[in-house]
Every structure is written in structure tokens, then in C-alpha cells.
Tab-separated table of all heavy atoms in Angstrom:
chain	number	residue	atom	x	y	z
A	79	SER	N	13.508	7.393	-10.732
A	79	SER	CA	12.977	8.385	-9.941
A	79	SER	C	11.524	8.634	-10.407
A	79	SER	O	11.165	8.341	-11.575
A	79	SER	CB	13.700	9.663	-10.022
A	79	SER	OG	13.683	10.170	-11.355
A	80	PHE	N	10.698	9.244	-9.571
A	80	PHE	CA	9.388	9.726	-9.928
A	80	PHE	C	8.939	10.707	-8.919
A	80	PHE	O	9.122	10.498	-7.656
A	80	PHE	CB	8.323	8.577	-9.992
A	80	PHE	CG	6.995	9.051	-10.486
A	80	PHE	CD1	6.727	9.323	-11.797
A	80	PHE	CD2	5.950	9.149	-9.534
A	80	PHE	CE1	5.466	9.808	-12.166
A	80	PHE	CE2	4.691	9.675	-9.921
A	80	PHE	CZ	4.488	9.948	-11.207
A	81	ALA	N	8.334	11.765	-9.322
A	81	ALA	CA	7.743	12.851	-8.473
A	81	ALA	C	8.790	13.308	-7.424
A	81	ALA	O	8.340	13.594	-6.233
A	81	ALA	CB	6.466	12.338	-7.812
A	82	GLY	N	10.031	13.419	-7.771
A	82	GLY	CA	11.052	13.896	-6.916
A	82	GLY	C	11.591	12.870	-5.943
A	82	GLY	O	12.528	13.168	-5.189
A	83	PHE	N	11.089	11.619	-6.041
A	83	PHE	CA	11.675	10.526	-5.238
A	83	PHE	C	12.593	9.697	-6.017
A	83	PHE	O	12.236	9.255	-7.134
A	83	PHE	CB	10.524	9.689	-4.657
A	83	PHE	CG	9.685	10.300	-3.666
A	83	PHE	CD1	8.310	10.189	-3.702
A	83	PHE	CD2	10.198	11.057	-2.566
A	83	PHE	CE1	7.488	10.782	-2.769
A	83	PHE	CE2	9.464	11.580	-1.679
A	83	PHE	CZ	8.089	11.547	-1.740
A	84	GLU	N	13.777	9.379	-5.500
A	84	GLU	CA	14.697	8.439	-6.135
A	84	GLU	C	14.211	7.003	-5.647
A	84	GLU	O	13.697	6.791	-4.591
A	84	GLU	CB	16.144	8.677	-5.779
A	84	GLU	CG	16.729	9.959	-6.348
A	84	GLU	CD	18.197	10.053	-5.993
A	84	GLU	OE1	18.739	9.234	-5.200
A	84	GLU	OE2	18.764	11.052	-6.441
A	85	GLY	N	14.407	6.037	-6.625
A	85	GLY	CA	13.987	4.728	-6.240
A	85	GLY	C	14.014	3.766	-7.424
A	85	GLY	O	14.354	4.159	-8.528
A	86	VAL	N	13.618	2.545	-7.233
A	86	VAL	CA	13.478	1.526	-8.210
A	86	VAL	C	12.029	1.025	-8.115
A	86	VAL	O	11.335	1.275	-7.188
A	86	VAL	CB	14.529	0.404	-8.028
A	86	VAL	CG1	15.930	0.967	-8.274
A	86	VAL	CG2	14.372	-0.231	-6.711
A	87	ALA	N	11.683	0.167	-9.134
A	87	ALA	CA	10.296	-0.320	-9.164
A	87	ALA	C	9.962	-1.029	-7.820
A	87	ALA	O	8.809	-0.974	-7.332
A	87	ALA	CB	10.059	-1.250	-10.329
A	88	GLU	N	10.920	-1.791	-7.347
A	88	GLU	CA	10.729	-2.603	-6.130
A	88	GLU	C	10.364	-1.786	-4.892
A	88	GLU	O	9.908	-2.218	-3.819
A	88	GLU	CB	11.850	-3.585	-5.854
A	88	GLU	CG	11.922	-4.714	-6.828
A	88	GLU	CD	12.240	-4.350	-8.276
A	88	GLU	OE1	12.866	-3.246	-8.423
A	88	GLU	OE2	11.909	-5.137	-9.157
A	89	ASP	N	10.682	-0.426	-4.990
A	89	ASP	CA	10.295	0.507	-3.833
A	89	ASP	C	8.833	0.757	-3.820
A	89	ASP	O	8.240	1.157	-2.751
A	89	ASP	CB	11.096	1.770	-3.932
A	89	ASP	CG	12.594	1.611	-3.785
A	89	ASP	OD1	12.884	0.762	-3.011
A	89	ASP	OD2	13.320	2.472	-4.293
A	90	PHE	N	8.133	0.448	-4.885
A	90	PHE	CA	6.682	0.619	-4.893
A	90	PHE	C	6.042	-0.377	-3.930
A	90	PHE	O	6.262	-1.600	-4.071
A	90	PHE	CB	6.134	0.452	-6.310
A	90	PHE	CG	4.646	0.360	-6.417
A	90	PHE	CD1	3.787	1.492	-6.432
A	90	PHE	CD2	4.001	-0.910	-6.425
A	90	PHE	CE1	2.446	1.385	-6.462
A	90	PHE	CE2	2.628	-1.024	-6.516
A	90	PHE	CZ	1.807	0.131	-6.517
A	91	LEU	N	5.192	0.094	-3.046
A	91	LEU	CA	4.556	-0.799	-2.149
A	91	LEU	C	3.113	-1.051	-2.400
A	91	LEU	O	2.645	-2.159	-2.473
A	91	LEU	CB	4.653	-0.221	-0.690
A	91	LEU	CG	4.062	-1.118	0.417
A	91	LEU	CD1	4.958	-2.276	0.664
A	91	LEU	CD2	3.940	-0.273	1.718
A	92	VAL	N	2.359	0.036	-2.647
A	92	VAL	CA	0.913	-0.082	-2.973
A	92	VAL	C	0.463	1.163	-3.623
A	92	VAL	O	0.876	2.246	-3.387
A	92	VAL	CB	0.142	-0.291	-1.653
A	92	VAL	CG1	0.330	0.814	-0.616
A	92	VAL	CG2	-1.382	-0.475	-1.831
A	93	GLY	N	-0.509	0.945	-4.612
A	93	GLY	CA	-1.110	1.982	-5.262
A	93	GLY	C	-2.663	1.834	-5.140
A	93	GLY	O	-3.195	0.727	-5.228
A	94	VAL	N	-3.367	2.941	-4.938
A	94	VAL	CA	-4.839	2.853	-4.679
A	94	VAL	C	-5.546	3.971	-5.416
A	94	VAL	O	-4.963	5.032	-5.667
A	94	VAL	CB	-5.140	2.920	-3.188
A	94	VAL	CG1	-4.567	1.699	-2.452
A	94	VAL	CG2	-4.565	4.235	-2.521
A	95	GLU	N	-6.855	3.694	-5.730
A	95	GLU	CA	-7.761	4.698	-6.222
A	95	GLU	C	-9.093	4.499	-5.604
A	95	GLU	O	-9.433	3.371	-5.210
A	95	GLU	CB	-7.831	4.667	-7.772
A	95	GLU	CG	-8.407	3.430	-8.289
A	95	GLU	CD	-8.666	3.455	-9.839
A	95	GLU	OE1	-8.209	4.486	-10.441
A	95	GLU	OE2	-9.145	2.489	-10.408
A	96	GLU	N	-9.852	5.585	-5.563
A	96	GLU	CA	-11.118	5.514	-4.746
A	96	GLU	C	-12.148	4.534	-5.482
A	96	GLU	O	-13.045	4.071	-4.793
A	96	GLU	CB	-11.766	6.919	-4.653
A	96	GLU	CG	-12.065	7.621	-5.957
A	96	GLU	CD	-13.269	7.226	-6.610
A	96	GLU	OE1	-14.287	6.807	-5.932
A	96	GLU	OE2	-13.297	7.285	-7.894
A	97	SER	N	-12.021	4.239	-6.753
A	97	SER	CA	-13.000	3.451	-7.465
A	97	SER	C	-12.710	1.935	-7.381
A	97	SER	O	-12.752	1.240	-8.315
A	97	SER	CB	-13.102	3.916	-8.885
A	97	SER	OG	-11.797	3.877	-9.542
A	98	HIS	N	-12.249	1.558	-6.161
A	98	HIS	CA	-12.036	0.201	-5.812
A	98	HIS	C	-10.883	-0.464	-6.516
A	98	HIS	O	-10.885	-1.691	-6.745
A	98	HIS	CB	-13.342	-0.691	-6.061
A	98	HIS	CG	-14.429	-0.349	-5.132
A	98	HIS	ND1	-14.890	-1.149	-4.134
A	98	HIS	CD2	-15.229	0.804	-5.009
A	98	HIS	CE1	-15.842	-0.586	-3.469
A	98	HIS	NE2	-16.144	0.598	-4.000
A	99	GLY	N	-9.877	0.330	-6.981
A	99	GLY	CA	-8.674	-0.198	-7.650
A	99	GLY	C	-7.528	-0.233	-6.608
A	99	GLY	O	-7.234	0.747	-5.962
A	100	VAL	N	-6.825	-1.346	-6.624
A	100	VAL	CA	-5.675	-1.514	-5.711
A	100	VAL	C	-4.606	-2.334	-6.482
A	100	VAL	O	-4.888	-3.241	-7.257
A	100	VAL	CB	-6.008	-2.270	-4.415
A	100	VAL	CG1	-4.757	-2.417	-3.418
A	100	VAL	CG2	-7.126	-1.600	-3.666
A	101	LEU	N	-3.274	-2.043	-6.181
A	101	LEU	CA	-2.199	-2.817	-6.693
A	101	LEU	C	-1.133	-2.947	-5.636
A	101	LEU	O	-0.772	-1.895	-4.957
A	101	LEU	CB	-1.568	-2.096	-7.943
A	101	LEU	CG	-0.459	-2.835	-8.662
A	101	LEU	CD1	-0.814	-4.181	-9.209
A	101	LEU	CD2	0.142	-1.984	-9.738
A	102	VAL	N	-0.714	-4.154	-5.447
A	102	VAL	CA	0.251	-4.383	-4.277
A	102	VAL	C	1.588	-5.019	-4.752
A	102	VAL	O	2.262	-5.641	-3.950
A	102	VAL	CB	-0.415	-5.229	-3.187
A	102	VAL	CG1	-1.530	-4.482	-2.485
A	102	VAL	CG2	-0.911	-6.561	-3.703
A	103	THR	N	1.802	-4.936	-6.065
A	103	THR	CA	3.099	-5.454	-6.530
A	103	THR	C	3.540	-4.677	-7.733
A	103	THR	O	2.699	-4.224	-8.583
A	103	THR	CB	2.993	-6.960	-6.979
A	103	THR	OG1	4.148	-7.394	-7.724
A	103	THR	CG2	1.759	-7.128	-7.893
A	104	PRO	N	4.829	-4.434	-7.858
A	104	PRO	CA	5.281	-3.569	-9.042
A	104	PRO	C	5.342	-4.417	-10.343
A	104	PRO	O	5.658	-3.857	-11.426
A	104	PRO	CB	6.717	-3.137	-8.668
A	104	PRO	CG	7.122	-4.190	-7.683
A	104	PRO	CD	5.950	-4.659	-6.941
A	105	HIS	N	5.114	-5.721	-10.247
A	105	HIS	CA	5.251	-6.605	-11.347
A	105	HIS	C	3.971	-6.710	-12.220
A	105	HIS	O	3.950	-7.296	-13.294
A	105	HIS	CB	5.605	-7.976	-10.927
A	105	HIS	CG	6.877	-7.990	-10.180
A	105	HIS	ND1	8.163	-7.800	-10.729
A	105	HIS	CD2	7.145	-8.147	-8.814
A	105	HIS	CE1	9.074	-7.769	-9.781
A	105	HIS	NE2	8.501	-8.025	-8.604
A	106	ILE	N	2.920	-5.939	-11.803
A	106	ILE	CA	1.685	-5.806	-12.608
A	106	ILE	C	1.502	-4.314	-12.653
A	106	ILE	O	1.706	-3.539	-11.735
A	106	ILE	CB	0.465	-6.489	-11.955
A	106	ILE	CG1	0.722	-7.966	-11.793
A	106	ILE	CG2	-0.792	-6.174	-12.664
A	106	ILE	CD1	-0.318	-8.744	-10.940
A	107	ARG	N	1.118	-3.787	-13.831
A	107	ARG	CA	1.162	-2.369	-14.035
A	107	ARG	C	-0.302	-1.752	-14.262
A	107	ARG	O	-0.479	-0.800	-14.948
A	107	ARG	CB	1.954	-1.966	-15.211
A	107	ARG	CG	3.492	-2.358	-15.096
A	107	ARG	CD	4.178	-1.663	-13.960
A	107	ARG	NE	5.443	-2.234	-13.581
A	107	ARG	CZ	6.632	-1.965	-14.181
A	107	ARG	NH1	6.659	-1.072	-15.185
A	107	ARG	NH2	7.683	-2.575	-13.776
């Protein structure tokens, strides 16, 4: 779980930040 959401790492789809950072796989942290 994280931030009130139940799930597993594979539920992560995409993470973004305004300074041109993107991640589209849970296998890289």
C-alpha cells in the first residue's frame, strides 16, 4: 500500500516531475 491505496509495485504505471523526470516501469526506482 501507499498513500491510502492498496496495490503492488506492478500497479505503478508512470511517475513524473516537472523538471523533465519520467519513469514508466516499477523495475527502476
Side-chain angles (χ1 to χ4, degrees):
S79 66
F80 182 77
F83 290 136
E84 292 185 355
V86 295
E88 286 69 23
D89 291 334
F90 168 83
L91 183 71
V92 57
V94 292
E95 66 175 1
E96 58 79 32
S97 55
H98 292 250
V100 181
L101 180 63
V102 292
T103 170
H105 302 290
I106 300 172
R107 301 294 168 86

